Amino acid sequence: MASKLNISCGSCGYEDISKIAKKWCTICEEGFCGECENYHKSMKVSRGHKMISIENFRQIKNISVNLNCEIHGKKLDLYCKKHDIAVCVVCIPSEHKSCSSSDVISIDDATKNAKQSSALLDLEGTISTTIDNVKLCIKDREMALKTVNEDEQTIRKTITDTRKNLNKYLDELERKLLLDLKSKHENYKFKVVKILNQLKQMEKEVEKLKEQTLQMKRFASDLQVFLGTRQLNQSLCKKIGSLKEEIRDNTNYNMEIEVNHVISSLVNEVKQFGKIKVMETMANLQLKDAKIDQAQIQIHGYSQSIQNVNLKLKQKFDIKGSKQPISGCIILPDDRIIIADYYGSGKLMEYNNDGQHIRDITVSDKPHSLTIVDTECIAVTYGQAKYLEIINTKNTSERKRVICDANCWGISYQDHKLYVIVLFQGIVVMDLKGKTLNAIDIDVLNVYHITTISDRIYYTNRNSNTVHCCSTTGQEIWVFKDKSIVKPKGLSVDLNQNVFVVGQTSNNLIVIQHDGKDSKVLLTERDGIKYPYGVNYNKQKKIVCLSYTDGSVALYQVS
């Protein structure tokens, strides 16, 4: 290869002749001018080589395909079908001694119809699927970037608005306090000044009497002095008596300020204007090749018959302090079990898979239903309290409360969205920030439980003894009703879209086929089940967590 624009003829270049190539040999991996191309074709050893135009070569020149063995440096002229690998002649005795002669064929035979091979189709499918997945991931991250930017702007505005409101409020408090100071100051200043003026007036009058007495002593007759002394003394006593009366009850005034203790604590104790909290949830970024997607399509192709579904008891244990049916239970990816005891202790509790109580998770009201958001976060509804919370189970102080317009009961998480049963509203769909995206209009008067998978929503109606399946747009797909289940409550779904449902009055657990046309009773009262309420199917571990009886939970392995 000579330059970016032109490809030089390799044969001519060997003779130090510069000529522009017209064709490219894909086997020899070099260009040929017209004359050299004819010579190349005339030779028996290279007569069958594939020649392409230089323009076509430019389309593939950046594709690196190694035609030589990486271990021995020899040409890859053989193919082992057993190991699905191209090899050189040296590889056979060293790496493929056990391979039969029918397993090792020439590379020419192996490459026939390569452009129509299933391997190429798989590659194309994988590339296409990967592009689609990468685009989805890019879109997801663009949305995440938009969200974090919007959050930053919202928080910045909240800080600014809070500061403005605080300044405005403090300015008003300052204005009122200064007015009060002015009023009190002028009032007590007036009283002090009044006495001060009287004393100054008295001082002047006494000074005048002093002068009169001195003059009288110097120039008046004894009679005048005698009478004047008594008259002046009488006048002075009168003035002194009057002044005494004025100052008798006089007081001193010292003004000081007592700053409100809340403002003092704001200055002395509040060290931060606020705290920026970050709630982390797992991003749903997935890159799958075509074969994996095909395998998943088969899983969702409902290959497993519900008649083959069986349960084996792994563990059952009592819930601490509870004697009522457990309203909700979920198994986290790390095997921790979270219990919602709405009707009993009103607590949210954490257990391990051996049935040992780990801790109580602090809640502000009675928790009803649960759903897993990611490996660390769950969402919890509080029924009649009319709100739900997203809680980090590793750091329970990190939580977000979302207010609902009415009682909120069942909850499920799917594709970055929460699906919540809200009384009088139907199934409310919201994002993880609590923003309502839409509401699916169904009658939820007697609906308390919901679960989702892919593009389907499932819920039970205890009054009509029915289990419903609808699309995420609310279009009904099927309704199941059978005498085998009475007062259906909690439900959960497996990867085949078969539905596990508990019957509270019929005291059983059944599984309903993905199309709603068949069912199988898995557990009954004979298995010790009584008043079951909640159920959760862990898709990874294939374990059913079941509200076994009043205040008890059981774990079953599904096979």
Side-chain angles (χ1 to χ4, degrees):
M1 299 181 197
S3 70
K4 216 170 185 181
L5 297 175
N6 297 317
I7 307 296
S8 295
C9 175
S11 296
C12 292
Y14 182 76
E15 300 292 337
D16 291 328
I17 300 171
S18 179
K19 268 192 175 184
I20 296 174
K22 301 296 183 182
K23 292 290 183 71
W24 178 268
C25 178
T26 59
I27 304 300
C28 298
E29 290 193 297
E30 66 177 355
F32 292 91
C33 65
E35 293 179 10
C36 292
E37 178 193 356
N38 292 331
Y39 178 72
H40 191 65
K41 287 180 179 179
S42 68
M43 296 179 65
K44 184 177 181 180
V45 70
S46 57
R47 193 171 297 155
H49 287 193
K50 174 74 173 176
M51 303 289 285
I52 62 174
S53 69
I54 292 299
E55 289 302 317
N56 288 341
F57 166 69
R58 287 196 179 101
Q59 302 299 316
I60 63 169
K61 69 177 182 178
N62 293 324
I63 301 175
S64 177
V65 179
N66 192 357
L67 300 180
N68 296 317
C69 176
E70 293 182 355
I71 301 173
H72 306 107
K74 301 292 184 179
K75 187 177 178 181
L76 295 171
D77 50 8
L78 298 171
Y79 174 76
C80 178
K81 294 190 289 183
K82 183 178 179 180
H83 295 95
D84 187 23
I85 187 173
V87 295
C88 71
V89 291
V90 183
C91 291
I92 300 302
S94 59
E95 305 292 335
H96 299 267
K97 289 186 290 186
S98 61
C99 299
S100 66
S101 58
S102 60
D103 288 330
V104 181
I105 61 176
S106 71
I107 198 72
D108 292 335
D109 291 339
T111 57
K112 286 179 181 177
N113 301 317
K115 292 184 178 180
Q116 287 77 41
S117 68
S118 59
L120 182 59
L121 289 174
D122 284 346
L123 175 62
E124 290 176 335
T126 300
I127 291 171
S128 178
T129 301
T130 302
I131 290 172
D132 291 341
N133 284 325
V134 169
K135 286 181 177 179
L136 287 174
C137 291
I138 290 172
K139 184 177 180 182
D140 180 275
R141 292 301 86 195
E142 287 175 345
M143 288 297 296
L145 180 61
K146 181 181 178 183
T147 298
V148 77
N149 287 338
E150 289 176 350
D151 288 345
E152 190 270 344
Q153 291 300 318
T154 300
I155 293 172
R156 186 178 294 276
K157 186 177 185 301
T158 300
I159 293 172
T160 302
D161 290 348
T162 302
R163 177 61 184 269
K164 286 181 179 178
N165 291 334
L166 188 59
N167 287 346
K168 183 179 179 181
Y169 186 68
L170 289 174
D171 287 344
E172 179 62 19
L173 292 180
E174 180 187 22
R175 187 187 67 81
K176 290 180 179 179
L177 187 60
L178 289 174
L179 284 175
D180 186 43
L181 173 63
K182 182 180 179 182
S183 173
K184 285 183 171 59
H185 172 253
E186 289 182 349
N187 180 41
Y188 297 118
K189 176 184 174 182
F190 172 76
K191 292 180 180 181
V192 173
V193 169
K194 179 182 177 183
I195 296 300
L196 180 61
N197 289 337
Q198 288 177 340
L199 289 171
K200 286 182 178 180
Q201 182 62 33
M202 179 69 176
E203 181 186 26
K204 289 180 181 179
E205 292 177 357
V206 173
E207 288 287 345
K208 186 177 179 181
L209 285 176
K210 179 182 178 181
E211 182 64 27
Q212 288 177 348
T213 302
L214 183 61
Q215 296 301 327
M216 182 179 67
K217 181 179 178 181
R218 290 177 61 188
F219 302 111
S221 65
D222 289 341
L223 177 62
Q224 287 175 322
V225 171
F226 177 79
L227 294 175
T229 299
R230 283 157 178 76
Q231 291 173 6
L232 291 175
N233 188 57
Q234 191 176 29
S235 176
L236 179 60
C237 288
K238 187 175 180 181
K239 289 181 183 296
I240 291 172
S242 177
L243 183 61
K244 283 182 178 181
E245 194 69 28
E246 285 290 334
I247 66 175
R248 178 184 300 162
D249 298 324
N250 211 263
T251 56
N252 290 326
Y253 305 103
N254 295 313
M255 292 193 298
E256 61 182 25
I257 184 170
E258 181 180 322
V259 178
N260 189 293
H261 70 92
V262 176
I263 295 177
S264 297
S265 66
L266 177 67
V267 175
N268 298 324
E269 298 177 20
V270 178
K271 304 302 181 185
Q272 291 179 308
F273 192 88
K275 184 178 180 181
I276 307 299
K277 291 186 176 183
V278 179
M279 178 177 286
E280 294 185 12
T281 56
M282 290 297 292
N284 189 25
L285 302 181
Q286 299 181 11
L287 290 178
K288 308 170 188 175
D289 61 33
K291 292 182 180 179
I292 293 175
D293 280 345
Q294 288 166 5
Q296 290 189 342
I297 290 169
Q298 290 174 359
I299 289 174
H300 294 291
Y302 321 121
S303 58
Q304 184 182 11
S305 168
I306 61 168
Q307 301 307 320
N308 296 326
V309 176
N310 295 290
L311 301 183
K312 181 180 179 181
L313 181 64
K314 286 174 58 69
Q315 183 71 256
K316 60 179 179 179
F317 51 90
D318 294 331
I319 300 304
K320 182 181 177 182
S322 179
K323 294 183 179 180
Q324 298 295 328
I326 301 302
S327 61
C329 53
I330 53 175
I331 305 174
L332 299 180
D334 57 5
D335 291 336
R336 289 180 294 152
I337 302 169
I338 306 296
I339 304 295
D341 190 18
Y342 184 84
Y343 297 101
S345 63
K347 293 181 178 180
L348 188 65
M349 293 168 277
E350 181 180 318
Y351 283 76
N352 65 20
N353 58 3
D354 291 326
Q356 295 178 329
H357 178 261
I358 300 174
R359 60 171 175 160
D360 293 340
I361 298 174
T362 303
V363 288
S364 53
D365 215 293
K366 297 187 297 182
H368 183 269
S369 293
L370 310 164
T371 189
I372 298 174
V373 174
D374 61 29
T375 55
E376 294 186 358
C377 289
I378 62 172
V380 185
T381 61
Y382 293 91
Q384 293 179 342
K386 302 178 182 178
Y387 68 89
L388 62 92
E389 284 183 324
I390 301 171
I391 302 174
N392 186 318
T393 60
K394 295 292 181 67
N395 181 6
T396 57
S397 62
E398 291 185 12
R399 59 180 66 197
K400 178 178 179 59
R401 178 176 294 193
V402 178
I403 304 299
C404 298
D405 292 336
N407 299 352
C408 53
W409 301 106
I411 188 169
S412 185
Y413 174 77
Q414 181 73 25
D415 295 333
H416 305 290
K417 302 182 187 71
L418 291 172
Y419 294 79
V420 189
I421 300 293
V422 180
L423 188 62
F424 307 125
Q425 287 188 280
I427 301 173
V428 176
V429 185
M430 59 181 70
D431 61 21
L432 292 177
K433 296 173 70 175
K435 179 183 177 182
T436 297
L437 304 176
N438 68 292
I440 300 171
D441 186 18
I442 64 169
D443 182 8
V444 294
L445 186 60
N446 293 288
V447 176
Y448 293 87
H449 299 272
I450 185 175
T451 190
T452 55
I453 189 172
S454 186
D455 58 350
R456 290 191 175 190
I457 301 172
Y458 305 84
Y459 60 93
T460 56
N461 187 311
R462 68 173 186 178
N463 193 49
S464 60
N465 292 324
T466 50
V467 181
H468 298 253
C469 172
C470 68
S471 68
T472 49
T473 59
Q475 182 178 1
E476 193 167 85
I477 297 173
W478 53 258
V479 178
F480 176 86
K481 184 173 184 178
D482 189 85
K483 62 181 180 180
S484 64
I485 187 163
V486 183
K487 299 296 181 187
K489 288 287 187 176
L491 73 170
S492 192
V493 63
D494 68 11
L495 287 172
N496 294 302
Q497 297 191 357
N498 299 319
V499 189
F500 294 90
V501 188
V502 293
Q504 186 181 27
T505 305
S506 53
N507 291 319
N508 60 356
L509 170 69
I510 73 167
V511 58
I512 302 172
Q513 191 166 281
H514 59 84
D515 56 6
K517 294 180 179 180
D518 195 10
S519 66
K520 178 183 178 181
V521 177
L522 299 174
L523 299 170
T524 67
E525 197 167 359
R526 290 192 297 273
D527 299 297
I529 293 180
K530 186 177 181 182
Y531 305 130
Y533 201 101
V535 64
N536 173 249
Y537 176 77
N538 184 292
K539 299 177 180 65
Q540 287 72 37
K541 304 291 178 63
K542 294 185 178 181
I543 293 176
V544 165
C545 180
L546 174 68
S547 173
Y548 186 73
T549 183
D550 287 354
S552 297
V553 165
L555 302 179
Y556 291 88
Q557 185 68 56
V558 181
S559 60

